[in-house]
Structures are given as structure tokens and as C-alpha cells.
PDB file of all heavy atoms in Angstrom:
ATOM      1  N   TYR A  13      -2.089 -12.681  57.188  1.00 94.00           N
ATOM      2  CA  TYR A  13      -1.907 -12.618  58.627  1.00 94.00           C
ATOM      3  C   TYR A  13      -3.233 -13.089  59.319  1.00 94.00           C
ATOM      4  O   TYR A  13      -3.199 -13.838  60.273  1.00 94.00           O
ATOM      5  CB  TYR A  13      -1.565 -11.181  59.022  1.00 94.00           C
ATOM      6  CG  TYR A  13      -1.541 -10.928  60.554  1.00 94.00           C
ATOM      7  CD1 TYR A  13      -0.520 -11.577  61.306  1.00 94.00           C
ATOM      8  CD2 TYR A  13      -2.415 -10.107  61.174  1.00 94.00           C
ATOM      9  CE1 TYR A  13      -0.455 -11.312  62.674  1.00 94.00           C
ATOM     10  CE2 TYR A  13      -2.353  -9.887  62.534  1.00 94.00           C
ATOM     11  CZ  TYR A  13      -1.379 -10.492  63.281  1.00 94.00           C
ATOM     12  OH  TYR A  13      -1.378 -10.278  64.627  1.00 94.00           O
ATOM     13  N   GLU A  14      -4.383 -12.596  58.821  1.00 94.00           N
ATOM     14  CA  GLU A  14      -5.606 -12.915  59.463  1.00 94.00           C
ATOM     15  C   GLU A  14      -6.003 -14.411  59.259  1.00 94.00           C
ATOM     16  O   GLU A  14      -6.615 -15.047  60.086  1.00 94.00           O
ATOM     17  CB  GLU A  14      -6.733 -12.020  58.986  1.00 94.00           C
ATOM     18  CG  GLU A  14      -6.453 -10.573  59.406  1.00 94.00           C
ATOM     19  CD  GLU A  14      -7.732  -9.692  59.347  1.00 94.00           C
ATOM     20  OE1 GLU A  14      -8.604  -9.988  58.547  1.00 94.00           O
ATOM     21  OE2 GLU A  14      -7.740  -8.730  60.181  1.00 94.00           O
ATOM     22  N   VAL A  15      -5.550 -14.972  58.103  1.00 95.00           N
ATOM     23  CA  VAL A  15      -5.732 -16.401  57.902  1.00 95.00           C
ATOM     24  C   VAL A  15      -4.853 -17.189  58.854  1.00 95.00           C
ATOM     25  O   VAL A  15      -5.332 -18.173  59.488  1.00 95.00           O
ATOM     26  CB  VAL A  15      -5.402 -16.821  56.466  1.00 95.00           C
ATOM     27  CG1 VAL A  15      -5.330 -18.303  56.258  1.00 95.00           C
ATOM     28  CG2 VAL A  15      -6.456 -16.191  55.469  1.00 95.00           C
ATOM     29  N   ARG A  16      -3.632 -16.761  58.989  1.00 96.00           N
ATOM     30  CA  ARG A  16      -2.664 -17.414  59.900  1.00 96.00           C
ATOM     31  C   ARG A  16      -3.190 -17.429  61.343  1.00 96.00           C
ATOM     32  O   ARG A  16      -2.985 -18.340  62.056  1.00 96.00           O
ATOM     33  CB  ARG A  16      -1.257 -16.794  59.775  1.00 96.00           C
ATOM     34  CG  ARG A  16      -0.156 -17.349  60.661  1.00 96.00           C
ATOM     35  CD  ARG A  16       1.201 -17.046  60.140  1.00 96.00           C
ATOM     36  NE  ARG A  16       1.376 -15.632  59.908  1.00 96.00           N
ATOM     37  CZ  ARG A  16       1.787 -14.803  60.795  1.00 96.00           C
ATOM     38  NH1 ARG A  16       1.993 -15.193  62.057  1.00 96.00           N
ATOM     39  NH2 ARG A  16       1.988 -13.450  60.544  1.00 96.00           N
ATOM     40  N   CYS A  17      -3.860 -16.355  61.736  1.00 96.00           N
ATOM     41  CA  CYS A  17      -4.357 -16.208  63.075  1.00 96.00           C
ATOM     42  C   CYS A  17      -5.732 -16.818  63.226  1.00 96.00           C
ATOM     43  O   CYS A  17      -6.356 -16.690  64.336  1.00 96.00           O
ATOM     44  CB  CYS A  17      -4.325 -14.764  63.492  1.00 96.00           C
ATOM     45  SG  CYS A  17      -2.639 -14.050  63.643  1.00 96.00           S
ATOM     46  N   GLY A  18      -6.269 -17.393  62.145  1.00 96.00           N
ATOM     47  CA  GLY A  18      -7.536 -18.131  62.314  1.00 96.00           C
ATOM     48  C   GLY A  18      -8.845 -17.346  62.145  1.00 96.00           C
ATOM     49  O   GLY A  18      -9.902 -17.927  62.479  1.00 96.00           O
ATOM     50  N   LEU A  19      -8.741 -16.171  61.633  1.00 95.00           N
ATOM     51  CA  LEU A  19      -9.981 -15.364  61.505  1.00 95.00           C
ATOM     52  C   LEU A  19     -10.695 -15.663  60.132  1.00 95.00           C
ATOM     53  O   LEU A  19     -11.927 -15.448  60.046  1.00 95.00           O
ATOM     54  CB  LEU A  19      -9.702 -13.868  61.511  1.00 95.00           C
ATOM     55  CG  LEU A  19      -9.043 -13.359  62.823  1.00 95.00           C
ATOM     56  CD1 LEU A  19      -8.869 -11.852  62.785  1.00 95.00           C
ATOM     57  CD2 LEU A  19      -9.929 -13.776  64.017  1.00 95.00           C
ATOM     58  N   PHE A  20      -9.917 -16.184  59.162  1.00 95.00           N
ATOM     59  CA  PHE A  20     -10.525 -16.612  57.872  1.00 95.00           C
ATOM     60  C   PHE A  20      -9.920 -17.934  57.514  1.00 95.00           C
ATOM     61  O   PHE A  20      -8.857 -18.311  57.994  1.00 95.00           O
ATOM     62  CB  PHE A  20     -10.185 -15.601  56.785  1.00 95.00           C
ATOM     63  CG  PHE A  20     -10.918 -14.320  56.837  1.00 95.00           C
ATOM     64  CD1 PHE A  20     -10.381 -13.207  57.411  1.00 95.00           C
ATOM     65  CD2 PHE A  20     -12.199 -14.179  56.299  1.00 95.00           C
ATOM     66  CE1 PHE A  20     -11.049 -11.970  57.503  1.00 95.00           C
ATOM     67  CE2 PHE A  20     -12.908 -12.968  56.350  1.00 95.00           C
ATOM     68  CZ  PHE A  20     -12.305 -11.843  56.963  1.00 95.00           C
ATOM     69  N   ALA A  21     -10.638 -18.726  56.685  1.00 93.00           N
ATOM     70  CA  ALA A  21     -10.199 -20.001  56.240  1.00 93.00           C
ATOM     71  C   ALA A  21      -9.075 -19.894  55.221  1.00 93.00           C
ATOM     72  O   ALA A  21      -8.145 -20.681  55.165  1.00 93.00           O
ATOM     73  CB  ALA A  21     -11.336 -20.871  55.645  1.00 93.00           C
ATOM     74  N   ASN A  22      -9.124 -18.843  54.348  1.00 92.00           N
ATOM     75  CA  ASN A  22      -8.182 -18.714  53.278  1.00 92.00           C
ATOM     76  C   ASN A  22      -8.139 -17.209  52.835  1.00 92.00           C
ATOM     77  O   ASN A  22      -9.044 -16.442  53.205  1.00 92.00           O
ATOM     78  CB  ASN A  22      -8.476 -19.645  52.150  1.00 92.00           C
ATOM     79  CG  ASN A  22      -9.860 -19.555  51.622  1.00 92.00           C
ATOM     80  OD1 ASN A  22     -10.367 -18.451  51.373  1.00 92.00           O
ATOM     81  ND2 ASN A  22     -10.541 -20.707  51.635  1.00 92.00           N
ATOM     82  N   GLN A  23      -7.106 -16.905  51.997  1.00 89.00           N
ATOM     83  CA  GLN A  23      -7.006 -15.541  51.610  1.00 89.00           C
ATOM     84  C   GLN A  23      -8.173 -15.109  50.738  1.00 89.00           C
ATOM     85  O   GLN A  23      -8.628 -13.946  50.814  1.00 89.00           O
ATOM     86  CB  GLN A  23      -5.690 -15.389  50.822  1.00 89.00           C
ATOM     87  CG  GLN A  23      -5.396 -13.861  50.528  1.00 89.00           C
ATOM     88  CD  GLN A  23      -4.197 -13.714  49.611  1.00 89.00           C
ATOM     89  OE1 GLN A  23      -4.368 -13.699  48.385  1.00 89.00           O
ATOM     90  NE2 GLN A  23      -2.964 -13.596  50.164  1.00 89.00           N
ATOM     91  N   THR A  24      -8.701 -16.029  49.877  1.00 87.00           N
ATOM     92  CA  THR A  24      -9.789 -15.667  48.993  1.00 87.00           C
ATOM     93  C   THR A  24     -10.990 -15.209  49.804  1.00 87.00           C
ATOM     94  O   THR A  24     -11.626 -14.200  49.442  1.00 87.00           O
ATOM     95  CB  THR A  24     -10.166 -16.896  48.163  1.00 87.00           C
ATOM     96  OG1 THR A  24      -9.048 -17.288  47.347  1.00 87.00           O
ATOM     97  CG2 THR A  24     -11.311 -16.614  47.209  1.00 87.00           C
ATOM     98  N   SER A  25     -11.353 -15.881  50.860  1.00 88.00           N
ATOM     99  CA  SER A  25     -12.532 -15.557  51.651  1.00 88.00           C
ATOM    100  C   SER A  25     -12.290 -14.165  52.317  1.00 88.00           C
ATOM    101  O   SER A  25     -13.203 -13.386  52.487  1.00 88.00           O
ATOM    102  CB  SER A  25     -12.906 -16.603  52.679  1.00 88.00           C
ATOM    103  OG  SER A  25     -11.845 -16.823  53.541  1.00 88.00           O
ATOM    104  N   CYS A  26     -11.012 -13.922  52.720  1.00 89.00           N
ATOM    105  CA  CYS A  26     -10.700 -12.662  53.383  1.00 89.00           C
ATOM    106  C   CYS A  26     -10.831 -11.549  52.372  1.00 89.00           C
ATOM    107  O   CYS A  26     -11.486 -10.498  52.670  1.00 89.00           O
ATOM    108  CB  CYS A  26      -9.314 -12.712  53.944  1.00 89.00           C
ATOM    109  SG  CYS A  26      -8.720 -11.118  54.658  1.00 89.00           S
ATOM    110  N   ILE A  27     -10.253 -11.647  51.219  1.00 86.00           N
ATOM    111  CA  ILE A  27     -10.304 -10.603  50.198  1.00 86.00           C
ATOM    112  C   ILE A  27     -11.727 -10.355  49.741  1.00 86.00           C
ATOM    113  O   ILE A  27     -12.190  -9.168  49.657  1.00 86.00           O
ATOM    114  CB  ILE A  27      -9.432 -10.957  48.919  1.00 86.00           C
ATOM    115  CG1 ILE A  27      -7.936 -10.986  49.314  1.00 86.00           C
ATOM    116  CG2 ILE A  27      -9.667  -9.995  47.791  1.00 86.00           C
ATOM    117  CD1 ILE A  27      -7.332  -9.639  49.570  1.00 86.00           C
ATOM    118  N   SER A  28     -12.512 -11.421  49.527  1.00 81.00           N
ATOM    119  CA  SER A  28     -13.882 -11.234  49.027  1.00 81.00           C
ATOM    120  C   SER A  28     -14.788 -10.642  50.106  1.00 81.00           C
ATOM    121  O   SER A  28     -15.846 -10.131  49.854  1.00 81.00           O
ATOM    122  CB  SER A  28     -14.429 -12.568  48.537  1.00 81.00           C
ATOM    123  OG  SER A  28     -14.497 -13.581  49.634  1.00 81.00           O
ATOM    124  N   TYR A  29     -14.430 -10.796  51.381  1.00 83.00           N
ATOM    125  CA  TYR A  29     -15.237 -10.204  52.437  1.00 83.00           C
ATOM    126  C   TYR A  29     -15.350  -8.648  52.233  1.00 83.00           C
ATOM    127  O   TYR A  29     -16.350  -8.125  52.628  1.00 83.00           O
ATOM    128  CB  TYR A  29     -14.503 -10.448  53.780  1.00 83.00           C
ATOM    129  CG  TYR A  29     -15.286 -10.034  55.026  1.00 83.00           C
ATOM    130  CD1 TYR A  29     -16.155 -10.851  55.682  1.00 83.00           C
ATOM    131  CD2 TYR A  29     -15.148  -8.717  55.486  1.00 83.00           C
ATOM    132  CE1 TYR A  29     -16.893 -10.430  56.734  1.00 83.00           C
ATOM    133  CE2 TYR A  29     -15.899  -8.288  56.587  1.00 83.00           C
ATOM    134  CZ  TYR A  29     -16.751  -9.169  57.205  1.00 83.00           C
ATOM    135  OH  TYR A  29     -17.495  -8.732  58.296  1.00 83.00           O
ATOM    136  N   GLY A  30     -14.376  -8.055  51.596  1.00 67.00           N
ATOM    137  CA  GLY A  30     -14.518  -6.670  51.240  1.00 67.00           C
ATOM    138  C   GLY A  30     -14.161  -5.742  52.440  1.00 67.00           C
ATOM    139  O   GLY A  30     -14.525  -4.584  52.430  1.00 67.00           O
ATOM    140  N   ALA A  31     -13.495  -6.290  53.452  1.00 52.00           N
ATOM    141  CA  ALA A  31     -13.151  -5.516  54.663  1.00 52.00           C
ATOM    142  C   ALA A  31     -11.912  -4.627  54.482  1.00 52.00           C
ATOM    143  O   ALA A  31     -11.556  -3.926  55.384  1.00 52.00           O
ATOM    144  CB  ALA A  31     -13.040  -6.354  55.880  1.00 52.00           C
ATOM    145  N   ILE A  32     -11.255  -4.797  53.426  1.00 57.00           N
ATOM    146  CA  ILE A  32      -9.997  -4.056  53.163  1.00 57.00           C
ATOM    147  C   ILE A  32     -10.262  -3.039  52.024  1.00 57.00           C
ATOM    148  O   ILE A  32     -10.643  -3.347  50.897  1.00 57.00           O
ATOM    149  CB  ILE A  32      -8.833  -4.909  52.805  1.00 57.00           C
ATOM    150  CG1 ILE A  32      -8.516  -5.880  53.936  1.00 57.00           C
ATOM    151  CG2 ILE A  32      -7.637  -4.080  52.399  1.00 57.00           C
ATOM    152  CD1 ILE A  32      -7.378  -6.795  53.712  1.00 57.00           C
ATOM    153  N   TYR A  33     -10.051  -1.779  52.328  1.00 59.00           N
ATOM    154  CA  TYR A  33     -10.400  -0.697  51.384  1.00 59.00           C
ATOM    155  C   TYR A  33      -9.075  -0.039  50.990  1.00 59.00           C
ATOM    156  O   TYR A  33      -8.306   0.426  51.817  1.00 59.00           O
ATOM    157  CB  TYR A  33     -11.301   0.311  52.078  1.00 59.00           C
ATOM    158  CG  TYR A  33     -11.473   1.635  51.315  1.00 59.00           C
ATOM    159  CD1 TYR A  33     -12.004   1.629  50.044  1.00 59.00           C
ATOM    160  CD2 TYR A  33     -11.082   2.834  51.891  1.00 59.00           C
ATOM    161  CE1 TYR A  33     -12.160   2.832  49.278  1.00 59.00           C
ATOM    162  CE2 TYR A  33     -11.231   3.997  51.186  1.00 59.00           C
ATOM    163  CZ  TYR A  33     -11.759   3.986  49.924  1.00 59.00           C
ATOM    164  OH  TYR A  33     -11.923   5.211  49.228  1.00 59.00           O
ATOM    165  N   VAL A  34      -8.777   0.004  49.678  1.00 64.00           N
ATOM    166  CA  VAL A  34      -7.551   0.615  49.202  1.00 64.00           C
ATOM    167  C   VAL A  34      -7.834   2.108  48.969  1.00 64.00           C
ATOM    168  O   VAL A  34      -8.611   2.523  48.163  1.00 64.00           O
ATOM    169  CB  VAL A  34      -7.082  -0.040  47.896  1.00 64.00           C
ATOM    170  CG1 VAL A  34      -5.849   0.671  47.352  1.00 64.00           C
ATOM    171  CG2 VAL A  34      -6.805  -1.549  48.113  1.00 64.00           C
ATOM    172  N   ASP A  35      -7.157   2.947  49.780  1.00 65.00           N
ATOM    173  CA  ASP A  35      -7.401   4.358  49.678  1.00 65.00           C
ATOM    174  C   ASP A  35      -6.899   4.949  48.322  1.00 65.00           C
ATOM    175  O   ASP A  35      -5.828   4.726  47.907  1.00 65.00           O
ATOM    176  CB  ASP A  35      -6.568   5.016  50.773  1.00 65.00           C
ATOM    177  CG  ASP A  35      -6.940   6.469  51.047  1.00 65.00           C
ATOM    178  OD1 ASP A  35      -7.303   7.170  50.053  1.00 65.00           O
ATOM    179  OD2 ASP A  35      -6.884   6.910  52.198  1.00 65.00           O
ATOM    180  N   PRO A  36      -7.831   5.658  47.612  1.00 66.00           N
ATOM    181  CA  PRO A  36      -7.474   6.099  46.289  1.00 66.00           C
ATOM    182  C   PRO A  36      -6.426   7.255  46.335  1.00 66.00           C
ATOM    183  O   PRO A  36      -5.757   7.498  45.324  1.00 66.00           O
ATOM    184  CB  PRO A  36      -8.772   6.697  45.744  1.00 66.00           C
ATOM    185  CG  PRO A  36      -9.576   6.995  46.936  1.00 66.00           C
ATOM    186  CD  PRO A  36      -9.260   5.945  47.941  1.00 66.00           C
ATOM    187  N   SER A  37      -6.184   7.831  47.464  1.00 73.00           N
ATOM    188  CA  SER A  37      -5.186   8.865  47.582  1.00 73.00           C
ATOM    189  C   SER A  37      -3.746   8.274  47.484  1.00 73.00           C
ATOM    190  O   SER A  37      -2.755   9.091  47.327  1.00 73.00           O
ATOM    191  CB  SER A  37      -5.353   9.687  48.863  1.00 73.00           C
ATOM    192  OG  SER A  37      -5.154   8.918  50.016  1.00 73.00           O
ATOM    193  N   PHE A  38      -3.649   6.959  47.640  1.00 69.00           N
ATOM    194  CA  PHE A  38      -2.376   6.306  47.591  1.00 69.00           C
ATOM    195  C   PHE A  38      -1.596   6.675  46.320  1.00 69.00           C
ATOM    196  O   PHE A  38      -0.467   7.194  46.306  1.00 69.00           O
ATOM    197  CB  PHE A  38      -2.585   4.788  47.700  1.00 69.00           C
ATOM    198  CG  PHE A  38      -1.348   3.953  47.603  1.00 69.00           C
ATOM    199  CD1 PHE A  38      -0.665   3.594  48.724  1.00 69.00           C
ATOM    200  CD2 PHE A  38      -0.904   3.467  46.357  1.00 69.00           C
ATOM    201  CE1 PHE A  38       0.483   2.788  48.652  1.00 69.00           C
ATOM    202  CE2 PHE A  38       0.165   2.709  46.272  1.00 69.00           C
ATOM    203  CZ  PHE A  38       0.875   2.384  47.417  1.00 69.00           C
ATOM    204  N   SER A  39      -2.189   6.386  45.156  1.00 75.00           N
ATOM    205  CA  SER A  39      -1.542   6.639  43.858  1.00 75.00           C
ATOM    206  C   SER A  39      -1.353   8.152  43.588  1.00 75.00           C
ATOM    207  O   SER A  39      -0.381   8.533  42.941  1.00 75.00           O
ATOM    208  CB  SER A  39      -2.308   5.984  42.729  1.00 75.00           C
ATOM    209  OG  SER A  39      -3.629   6.523  42.620  1.00 75.00           O
ATOM    210  N   MET A  40      -2.290   8.930  44.156  1.00 82.00           N
ATOM    211  CA  MET A  40      -2.224  10.415  43.889  1.00 82.00           C
ATOM    212  C   MET A  40      -1.011  10.971  44.657  1.00 82.00           C
ATOM    213  O   MET A  40      -0.369  11.879  44.195  1.00 82.00           O
ATOM    214  CB  MET A  40      -3.502  11.031  44.263  1.00 82.00           C
ATOM    215  CG  MET A  40      -4.682  10.609  43.448  1.00 82.00           C
ATOM    216  SD  MET A  40      -6.236  11.463  43.873  1.00 82.00           S
ATOM    217  CE  MET A  40      -5.925  13.095  43.262  1.00 82.00           C
ATOM    218  N   LEU A  41      -0.767  10.432  45.837  1.00 84.00           N
ATOM    219  CA  LEU A  41       0.371  10.888  46.622  1.00 84.00           C
ATOM    220  C   LEU A  41       1.674  10.513  45.886  1.00 84.00           C
ATOM    221  O   LEU A  41       2.612  11.318  45.795  1.00 84.00           O
ATOM    222  CB  LEU A  41       0.335  10.276  47.988  1.00 84.00           C
ATOM    223  CG  LEU A  41       1.520  10.639  48.935  1.00 84.00           C
ATOM    224  CD1 LEU A  41       1.530  12.081  49.253  1.00 84.00           C
ATOM    225  CD2 LEU A  41       1.409   9.802  50.203  1.00 84.00           C
ATOM    226  N   VAL A  42       1.632   9.307  45.379  1.00 80.00           N
ATOM    227  CA  VAL A  42       2.849   8.843  44.608  1.00 80.00           C
ATOM    228  C   VAL A  42       3.130   9.755  43.437  1.00 80.00           C
ATOM    229  O   VAL A  42       4.232  10.186  43.139  1.00 80.00           O
ATOM    230  CB  VAL A  42       2.661   7.396  44.121  1.00 80.00           C
ATOM    231  CG1 VAL A  42       3.721   6.961  43.187  1.00 80.00           C
ATOM    232  CG2 VAL A  42       2.551   6.426  45.344  1.00 80.00           C
TER     233      VAL A  42
END
């Protein structure tokens, strides 16, 4: 979505930016 809206050039640069944090409680809730 952020690539499509022009904030990043590609998905790789967005993922490597490190701005997305996967909450560890996700799997514990599951």
C-alpha cells in the first residue's frame, strides 16, 4: 500500500526500513 501511494520505491525498501513491528503477543493469543 505504501509503495502504491508513493512513500517507498518498492516493498524491499519498505520492509528493510524496519518501521513495521510484528507484535509477539500475536502468536500467543492464537
Side-chain angles (χ1 to χ4, degrees):
Y13 175 67
E14 295 200 332
V15 169
R16 179 159 54 86
C17 294
L19 300 183
F20 287 97
N22 50 55
Q23 189 188 89
T24 301
S25 59
C26 174
I27 293 289
S28 64
Y29 185 92
I32 296 178
Y33 169 61
V34 177
D35 193 325
S37 64
F38 178 89
S39 58
M40 296 181 72
L41 179 63
V42 172

